[in-house]
Amino acid sequence: MSRQEQRVVDLRSDTVTRPTQRMRAAMAAAEVGDDVYGEDPTVRALEDRVAGLLGQEAGLFLPTATMANQVAIQFLVPHGSELLCADDAHVVSYEGGAAAVHGGITTRTWHSPDGFIEPATIAGMIRPGGGFALRTDAIAVEQTANLPGGIIHPLDRLTALHTVARRAGVGLHCDGARLWHAHITTGTALDVYGRLFDTVAVCLSKGLGAPAGAVLAGQHDLIADAKRLRLRAGGAMRQVGILAAAGLYALDHHLQRLADDHDHARSLANALSNAGVVDPGRVHTNIVLLNLTRTRWSGPAFAAAAAKHGILLIAIDHYHVRAVTHRDVTIEQIVHAGGVLQRLLTP
Ligand SMILES: *Cc1c(COP(=O)(O)O)cnc(C)c1O
């Protein structure tokens, strides 16, 4: 790494990771075929592997987790029905309105100030349809929950939500873009999480460091339908084993090391805790949420000031800024970033 690069610490997102030389070598060596005909052996290997990890019957490779989420939601919720999710959920806030635009789906949201799901509250929101009310057909939940700060929903709450969904006969989708991180932190097996849901979307291009790709897992009938929806969205690709190879490589070599990113996030949180902007107890994974309410900074102004010192962050609203650790930042860079941000926060 050049000194110039070392001075820029990019904590905007874990999507900024670049494929390593070894990952690129695995991509170059991948066996490929036409995946639209189901003939790409590397894609099939990745789909089977992820489905197995998640305790699901089948997997489908897609270009992005956004498309994986939307395909799942469109599978679970017919036109003119509704989806329940958190008001800061990626599926409703950051996917271009796709559920409405492509799926004809109404989204009704819950607000939880602490970011955790409340199964009883969600149960109370479900509408059976009939009469004037729209029918609720599915619930979507993030694990980890991104905007609340990468928090992990405890397994007992997810299990309770599973029971709620089953009893009401509505679908349950997991936006598991960072499910890997929950698994690494809690030690809960991926399939223990995965089996609670009808559909699970996981992302390969965030913490795992692949250049692109996501997998949607579910039962066989889901996947058959999901292929049609993926095609409709323009996501049916050809010799895409080149990308799937990066995903397989990432599962072999980059999954366990997420624990380092979590250590780095805790270090950063501890460095900033004296400034009163971070509650280290809420840093569960690789996301550090800075609450600037009681400082002289707004989120955008703080992010701009940090950027002048080479520390890249994202302001997620007027009061909050997000820092995300990932495999392309070292502990030295984290310590440096912590020092710079601490100085900016000193009145
Ligand atoms: C990033 C993210 C996605 C979308 O992932 P892409 O692969 O970038 O489309 C979905 N859900 C959550 C919670 C995310 O953080």
Side-chain angles (χ1 to χ4, degrees):
M1 206 181 289
S2 72
R3 279 180 58 196
Q4 175 66 31
E5 268 183 290
Q6 190 134 30
R7 263 188 290 137
V8 175
V9 185
D10 193 344
L11 301 173
R12 288 171 301 166
S13 178
D14 40 9
T15 55
V16 300
T17 52
R18 280 164 291 192
T20 62
Q21 284 309 319
R22 285 188 179 169
M23 181 181 277
R24 287 169 189 250
M27 294 170 76
E31 245 191 278
V32 296
D34 190 326
D35 184 48
V36 177
Y37 296 131
E39 291 172 4
D40 190 304
T42 310
V43 171
R44 285 182 151 185
L46 176 67
E47 290 173 339
D48 290 348
R49 175 137 175 223
V50 173
L53 285 172
L54 295 171
Q56 295 280 356
E57 284 176 5
L60 186 68
F61 185 69
L62 298 107
T64 63
T66 296
M67 195 187 286
N69 280 334
Q70 292 300 327
V71 161
I73 289 166
Q74 286 172 46
F75 170 78
L76 295 171
V77 185
H79 274 232
S81 275
E82 76 177 10
L83 171 80
L84 303 183
C85 64
D87 57 9
D88 58 2
H90 200 280
V91 295
V92 67
S93 299
Y94 296 93
E95 299 189 357
V101 174
H102 299 308
I105 293 163
T106 293
T107 316
R108 199 150 51 91
T109 58
W110 66 77
H111 178 68
S112 48
D114 67 358
F116 290 103
I117 51 165
E118 299 289 351
T121 306
I122 298 168
M125 292 175 69
I126 295 173
R127 301 194 282 210
F132 296 116
L134 282 186
R135 194 180 68 220
T136 305
D137 277 289
I139 301 163
V141 58
E142 283 175 21
Q143 179 78 314
T144 65
N146 178 353
L147 266 283
I151 62 165
I152 299 172
H153 297 299
L155 188 59
D156 59 352
R157 293 207 194 186
L158 292 175
T159 306
L161 186 63
H162 167 84
T163 305
V164 164
R166 278 283 177 281
R167 280 200 187 131
V170 306
L172 190 56
H173 173 65
C174 178
D175 175 355
R178 296 187 183 82
L179 187 61
W180 317 113
H181 300 74
H183 159 63
I184 291 297
T185 297
T186 61
T188 300
L190 285 164
D191 71 297
V192 170
Y193 286 129
R195 287 177 210 277
L196 295 172
F197 300 93
D198 297 295
T199 50
V200 187
V202 291
C203 185
L204 302 164
S205 68
K206 293 217 164 128
L208 289 186
V215 177
L216 177 63
Q219 292 183 344
H220 287 302
D221 63 336
L222 150 83
I223 298 304
D225 243 40
K227 269 194 183 160
R228 189 175 47 81
L229 293 165
R230 180 183 68 175
L231 177 83
R232 184 182 291 164
M237 301 182 288
R238 305 294 179 175
Q239 287 73 24
V240 76
I242 287 181
L243 287 179
L248 285 166
Y249 181 91
L251 286 172
D252 286 335
H253 301 283
H254 294 172
L255 180 57
Q256 297 305 322
R257 65 148 305 285
L258 290 177
D260 298 341
D261 297 343
H262 301 163
D263 286 345
H264 294 173
R266 268 194 302 276
S267 300
L268 185 62
N270 288 334
L272 299 177
S273 63
N274 281 344
V277 296
V278 177
D279 173 0
R282 282 193 47 105
V283 178
H284 294 183
T285 53
N286 67 326
I287 298 177
V288 181
L289 193 63
L290 278 61
N291 179 347
L292 301 166
T293 317
R294 274 170 298 188
T295 71
R296 66 195 164 96
W297 295 100
S298 73
F302 187 72
K308 284 204 186 116
H309 291 85
I311 313 297
L312 308 186
L313 310 166
I314 278 188
I316 58 175
D317 62 31
H318 189 72
Y319 294 114
H320 295 90
V321 165
R322 190 185 77 163
V324 187
T325 59
H326 53 78
R327 68 174 307 288
D328 285 10
V329 285
T330 62
I331 186 63
E332 290 75 22
Q333 290 178 305
I334 290 293
V335 170
H336 168 65
V340 170
L341 299 182
Q342 217 176 5
R343 279 195 293 283
L344 286 174
L345 289 165
T346 305

